[in-house]
Amino acid sequence: MRGSRWCCCCFGRGGGGGAGRSGSVGDDGLVWDVGLKAHASGEYSVAVAQANEALEDQAQVLVSPAATLVGVYDGHGGPDAARFVNARLFSLIQEFASQSGGISAQVIKRAFGATEEEFMGMVERSWPSQPRLLSVGSCCLVGAIEGGTLHVANLGDSRAVLGRLASAGGKKRRAVVAERLSRDHNVADEEVRREVAEAHPDDPHIVMSSHGVWRIKGIIQVSRSIGDAYLKRPDLCSPAVMQSLCPFPLRRPVMSAVPSVTSRRLRPGDQFIIFASDGLWEQLSDEAAVGIVSRSPRKGVAMRLVRAAQLEAARKKDIKYESIAAIEKGRRRRFHDDITVVVLFLDTPQPTAGAGGIDGTRAPVDVFSLGPDDHGDDPTRPVLR
């Protein structure tokens, strides 16, 4: 961030503070949201719905007068990798950007690589006492805005979608249309299957279909992630442990931690960006999500997207939404995945709050641990390091 002071933001668990509802927990004890806050290029809204026994999604927003960072991390196999990324990635982006004079695609790629290296180092040290860490991983979606340029980096199948004004056509009101900014790394996509197969020409079973679902080696759908050591470092553990995790012998790593990064200048018609884990996109199309945001008041709009996804999940199961809201964590995963949404508005620059103009939000580690009357540290209060 050129000309701004760097900080590492760490947040507590409770409510209070900020615009709209900050860190609030509603009647459904497995949802949490920040209704509306300011960032350098506009405002943003955050919401989380927990479905797993332990929340595997993590999210954070870091705001300074010069730049905004957004991160959504969707873990699998457990929450460990997503929590690790949540703790380290932004600090590494800040460190490398300070060294390079600002944020760039190369800075973000370097930070992703360093996060992967640190996590793999932790797994290598810890797996003999915690072997489950070998199979823990996380998708990783990051957005960064600095100097009027937007960078979006992605591993896995979380997604960033832009809502922008359509080209002018006569005197009619211009519609808001969806433009996908990230690429899904999921072998459900034929192009991704082809990419994986071409990287493993000597393995005719590198991608396998079972019950209509494509998976790498019959195990995992995403082709890129942080972690998943057993599919990247098969030499890390003993053959017996490896056999218990992956019944198919691996000749080489079958997953990557190299992100897809797109960069573009922000344009006058750009209205907002939806950053979300696949828990949202499994239920709503890009166009449906953009339509909801464009037609809704800003305050609480991330929660509206979460509710729309839950309503669609209920419709698919032919039950009422109230039935899903009454289901406890763990069992709720049968109906929908963890859902994390950050909506970043772009058209009305706002003064940023906090110490020295630095502010931010980090979603809770576990929504279920919060309560309606939980008023601990403000989750939007930055702590400088």
Side-chain angles (χ1 to χ4, degrees), residues 26-220:
D27 295 336
D28 180 350
L30 294 178
V31 298
W32 176 97
D33 83 317
V34 171
L36 199 66
K37 291 196 70 180
H39 72 98
S41 303
E43 297 168 317
Y44 68 91
S45 179
V46 185
V48 179
Q50 181 172 345
N52 285 293
E53 183 67 27
L55 179 65
E56 295 185 345
D57 281 7
Q58 298 291 296
Q60 56 189 163
V61 180
L62 176 61
V63 175
S64 83
T68 299
L69 293 175
V70 177
V72 173
Y73 319 121
D74 180 2
H76 46 263
D80 309 74
R83 292 178 183 179
F84 188 95
V85 175
N86 203 38
R88 291 296 297 138
L89 181 58
F90 276 17
S91 294
L92 290 164
I93 292 175
Q94 294 170 7
E95 177 184 340
F96 298 149
S98 294
Q99 295 170 2
S100 303
I103 299 174
S104 66
Q106 190 57 40
V107 160
I108 295 171
K109 286 182 179 180
R110 186 181 171 197
F112 271 64
T115 303
E116 167 83 347
E117 184 177 350
E118 288 186 8
F119 184 75
M120 287 297 194
M122 184 272 291
V123 172
E124 187 168 10
R125 293 187 301 272
S126 305
W127 81 261
S129 60
Q130 302 179 71
R132 66 178 187 80
L133 292 176
L134 290 165
S135 58
V136 169
S138 182
C139 300
C140 186
L141 174 66
V142 167
I145 299 175
E146 183 183 50
T149 296
L150 167 68
H151 307 279
V152 175
N154 189 49
L155 296 170
D157 54 8
S158 296
R159 188 181 301 168
V161 175
L162 173 71
R164 62 173 177 81
L165 293 177
S167 300
K171 297 182 179 180
K172 293 183 179 179
R173 182 180 178 182
R174 296 167 67 184
V176 179
V177 297
E179 178 183 327
R180 192 176 299 187
L181 298 175
S182 58
R183 181 191 178 200
D184 290 359
H185 302 128
N186 188 311
V187 291
D189 185 292
E190 184 178 355
E191 183 179 343
V192 177
R193 290 200 300 275
R194 187 182 308 114
E195 176 185 275
V196 173
E198 288 175 352
H200 301 269
D202 55 346
D203 188 350
H205 304 297
I206 183 64
V207 183
M208 306 167 65
S209 177
S210 176
H211 304 290
V213 179
W214 290 95
R215 291 185 173 90
I216 295 173
K217 302 303 286 187
I219 296 171
I220 192 166

Side-chain angles (χ1 to χ4, degrees), residues 7 50 71 84 109 112 188 234 254 272 286 288 298 302 305 319 336:
C7 78
Q50 181 172 345
F84 188 95
K109 286 182 179 180
F112 271 64
V254 295
F272 54 82
D286 297 6
R298 291 190 174 191
L305 285 173
I319 61 174
H336 66 78

Side-chain angles (χ1 to χ4, degrees), residues 225-248:
S225 70
I226 297 293
D228 296 302
Y230 73 121
L231 296 174
K232 297 174 182 173
R233 293 277 308 277
D235 60 318
L236 201 61
C237 55
S238 67
V241 172
M242 189 62 198
Q243 178 69 20
S244 70
L245 294 171
C246 179
F248 306 99

